[in-house]
Amino acid sequence: MSIDAQANLRTLRDVLRFAVTRFNDAEVYFGHGQVDAFEEASFLVMRSLKLPLDRLDVFLGAYLTHAEINTLLQQIDLRAKKRVPAAYILKEAWLQGLRFYVDERVIIPRSFIGELLKDELAPWIEQPHAALDILDLCTGSGCLAILAAEVFPNAAVVAADISKDALAVAKKNVTDYGLESRVKLTESDLLAGVGARRYDVILCNPPYVPDASMQKLPKEYLHEPELALAGGADGMKFIKRLLREARGSLKRGGMLFVEVGGERATVERQFKDVPMTWLTTSAGDDMVFMCRQEELP
């Protein structure tokens, strides 16, 4: 941390400009919610100061205390030098307008299934206020399970993960949202531990990064648990199991939504006999597919 920087930074605008330059000089990677150095710096600075992101312009000229500047410089250093994602530095991430506690026990929420949930899984779910049974596999921080419970007010949600550490983080988030009576957490290796119950909807954002891609991940991703990213030789290890086993856990007419991280070509090549509907998200139509119960093997 530069003594010169400490001496010359006064306002929020000063610190923001300093952070943008540091991030650009360090060529940090933006893949956890922000798209460039300015967005990353704004998120880190504003949320560290507990200020609303959408009011940045109001606070730009605000003078900061020496303690605030010192804290921000340390955080900027962590981001630029050690490539720690801003969400881990702040212990918070946002998905579809909801805030979640995160730390290095879980991947940082960024699922495109969140966009589909925000739209009530339309047009696939015809009655959003129905008493739906929803299962969120590989729940991680619990973000999709919580979002599902918020969007479908009468749904009962089960959030499952193989990682006890991830479930501890999910438990904190479920408690923070007061959803203990509606979101149940369970330890499960995909569907192996969820029992005989059947669901109207299964959501899954599984590990899908192929081995070759794991070796090339930006340093930021190396702070995330490998268990939540690595999908085997071709990335399809868990998706293959899920498609083979999901039918028995879905009600008649139930639906499976799976995120595959742009691996559509591999999915269609490997599972050409499984009818799939590819859904449109802000990243295109190769990120999430849906299968109906009766179409699954």
Side-chain angles (χ1 to χ4, degrees):
M1 181 171 61
S2 167
I3 295 175
D4 184 55
Q6 285 177 290
N8 289 287
L9 302 180
R10 293 285 185 271
T11 66
L12 192 148
R13 179 186 282 107
D14 294 337
V15 176
L16 186 62
R17 197 284 309 158
F18 177 77
V20 172
T21 300
R22 283 292 309 278
F23 296 163
N24 281 329
D25 285 347
E27 297 182 345
V28 301
Y29 186 84
F30 310 107
H32 293 106
Q34 287 69 51
V35 300
D36 58 25
F38 177 75
E39 278 197 10
E40 187 86 343
S42 299
F43 176 60
L44 185 60
V45 171
M46 292 294 281
R47 293 309 300 154
S48 178
L49 295 170
K50 302 295 188 290
L51 297 174
L53 278 169
D54 60 353
R55 303 302 299 277
L56 173 63
D57 56 327
V58 174
F59 295 100
L60 279 174
Y63 284 90
L64 305 180
T65 67
H66 291 301
E68 288 172 335
I69 289 172
N70 288 340
T71 295
L72 287 167
L73 288 175
Q74 290 169 1
Q75 293 175 335
I76 292 165
D77 230 32
L78 275 175
R79 184 69 188 91
K81 281 188 176 179
K82 297 193 175 181
R83 301 298 181 86
V84 180
Y88 288 152
I89 295 171
L90 297 169
K91 298 293 188 285
E92 76 170 43
W94 293 75
L95 186 68
Q96 298 302 312
L98 298 185
R99 178 190 176 277
F100 299 99
Y101 172 86
V102 295
D103 59 33
E104 294 184 359
R105 292 175 290 178
V106 294
I107 62 170
I108 296 164
R110 52 188 179 271
S111 174
F112 291 100
I113 292 176
E115 295 179 12
L116 303 172
L117 282 171
K118 197 68 173 179
D119 291 334
E120 300 178 332
L121 296 180
W124 314 108
I125 299 296
E126 295 178 357
Q127 297 179 315
H129 285 75
L132 301 169
D133 290 306
I134 298 175
L135 172 62
D136 176 30
L137 293 175
C138 307
T139 195
S141 63
C143 58
L144 293 181
I146 290 167
L147 187 56
E150 293 282 337
V151 169
F152 302 113
N154 296 309
V157 183
V158 174
D161 204 291
I162 194 173
S163 166
K164 287 186 174 70
D165 284 342
L167 289 171
V169 174
K171 182 178 180 180
K172 174 173 173 51
N173 285 317
V174 169
T175 301
D176 286 348
Y177 277 94
L179 289 168
E180 299 95 324
S181 64
R182 293 185 51 223
V183 179
K184 302 300 182 185
L185 302 171
T186 187
E187 185 180 343
S188 181
D189 179 2
L190 284 183
L191 290 160
V194 299
R197 182 176 175 182
R198 291 187 176 231
Y199 298 88
D200 299 286
V201 172
I202 296 177
L203 310 170
C204 189
N205 183 16
Y208 51 66
V209 181
D211 287 347
S213 298
M214 286 292 297
Q215 305 305 314
K216 302 173 186 176
L217 286 176
K219 292 178 182 178
E220 282 79 358
Y221 291 103
L222 302 182
H223 292 274
E224 295 187 294
E226 183 178 340
L227 180 69
L229 296 172
D234 59 0
M236 296 294 111
K237 176 181 177 182
F238 297 100
I239 295 168
K240 190 178 299 181
R241 279 183 54 198
L242 183 60
L243 289 176
R244 188 170 63 240
E245 300 169 9
R247 181 173 180 137
S249 292
L250 284 166
K251 299 178 185 178
R252 180 172 296 182
M255 290 166 284
L256 170 69
F257 295 82
V258 185
E259 185 157 341
V260 297
E263 297 290 332
R264 176 172 178 169
T266 304
V267 170
E268 290 183 328
R269 184 171 61 251
Q270 289 246 10
F271 312 109
K272 54 182 177 293
D273 295 331
V274 180
M276 297 172 180
T277 300
W278 290 89
L279 308 180
T280 300
T281 69
S282 61
D285 59 359
D286 59 354
M287 305 297 287
V288 181
F289 68 82
M290 184 273 289
C291 294
R292 295 185 180 277
Q293 188 262 0
E294 58 272 20
E295 297 170 339
L296 286 164

